Amino acid sequence: MGFADLVSDAGLTMLNSWLITRSYVTGYGPSQADVASFKAIKKQPDPAKYPHTYRWYKHISTYEQEFSSLPGDPSKAYTTYGPEKTEATLNPKDAPKDADENEEEEEDDLFGSDDEEEDPEAVRIREENLAAYKKKKEGKTKPAAKSIVTLDVKPWGKAFLVILDDYDETDMKDLETNMRAIEMDGLTWGASTLVAVGFGIKKLQVTLVVEDEKVSIDDLQQQIEGDEDHVQSTDVAAMQKL
């Protein structure tokens, strides 16, 4: 039968009953069945009168930006979903049951009845929808945490020539070339400039971006200082999270 309408009291009551033991119209995740049913409701359901419909409506509204990407067939009308027959009947054998029987029946709905076989096609669609939903959620990874770092790279210079007679003044181009040759996953070299420090010596100040989980600044400094022919020392001049 499906949902006749989702505007009248009877239609909303039917949906409310349908959602007593369900989080979604079909399956175990949001799908086009929920989208079609949600759009058929003209205004937010009364929480006092239709508590289960209201709970579902508020939940599905959080997916409005993702409606077009949810799994399922968007061409299907909401009337194709819902109960196959109405709950109400005049047949005595289908008369309302007592509270204990209803409770047992609800447990069967939640965990599945051993006496009923599910339609293989319904099982397939449900599993496909669930797999697609899980894949979409897993794909939403958080962006990697990054930092922008300013390093001061200090060369050997004229101040040391008195003690180290065999040293020539450091070639800053060679120093920078060797430094930028260092490659690390998560490291991006930026702009650099020469900054005067006195006695005719200049230090190289370089900006770089690192992924915090992949790059250790201490390890990077050690690699730069490994160029002992050119580098005296390195210091972190500034560091800021992006």
Side-chain angles (χ1 to χ4, degrees), residues 223-236:
Q223 288 197 45
I224 297 173
E225 291 169 3
D227 182 13
E228 296 179 351
D229 290 341
H230 299 96
V231 179
Q232 175 197 347
S233 63
T234 62
D235 290 305
V236 177

Side-chain angles (χ1 to χ4, degrees), residues 71 136 147 152 178 197 221:
K136 183 178 179 64
S147 298
D152 284 344
N178 295 343
V197 294
Q221 287 182 265

Side-chain angles (χ1 to χ4, degrees), residues 192-205:
S192 62
T193 185
L194 294 176
V195 179
V197 294
F199 304 103
I201 301 174
K202 294 181 179 180
K203 65 181 178 181
L204 179 67
Q205 193 167 79

Side-chain angles (χ1 to χ4, degrees), residues 60-104:
I60 297 303
S61 68
T62 64
Y63 291 93
E64 280 195 85
Q65 299 300 318
E66 305 174 44
F67 274 1
S68 61
S69 62
L70 292 178
D73 185 353
S75 66
K76 285 188 176 182
Y78 70 91
T79 53
T80 59
Y81 306 106
E84 295 182 0
K85 62 180 181 178
T86 57
E87 301 285 337
T89 176
L90 296 178
N91 192 326
K93 70 181 179 66
D94 293 325
K97 299 171 183 167
D98 59 35
D100 291 337
E101 290 180 73
N102 283 334
E103 186 174 341
E104 291 177 5

Side-chain angles (χ1 to χ4, degrees), residues 72-138:
D73 185 353
S75 66
K76 285 188 176 182
Y78 70 91
T79 53
T80 59
Y81 306 106
E84 295 182 0
K85 62 180 181 178
T86 57
E87 301 285 337
T89 176
L90 296 178
N91 192 326
K93 70 181 179 66
D94 293 325
K97 299 171 183 167
D98 59 35
D100 291 337
E101 290 180 73
N102 283 334
E103 186 174 341
E104 291 177 5
E105 203 167 84
E106 287 182 8
E107 290 179 358
D108 286 341
D109 287 341
L110 286 171
F111 301 105
S113 171
D114 295 333
D115 300 328
E116 296 179 3
E117 284 190 19
E118 287 190 86
D119 177 22
E121 180 65 12
V123 172
R124 183 187 67 79
I125 294 174
R126 183 182 68 207
E127 295 301 325
E128 286 181 357
N129 288 347
L130 182 59
Y133 178 68
K134 286 183 176 180
K135 184 176 181 181
K136 183 178 179 64
K137 283 295 183 183
E138 289 170 359

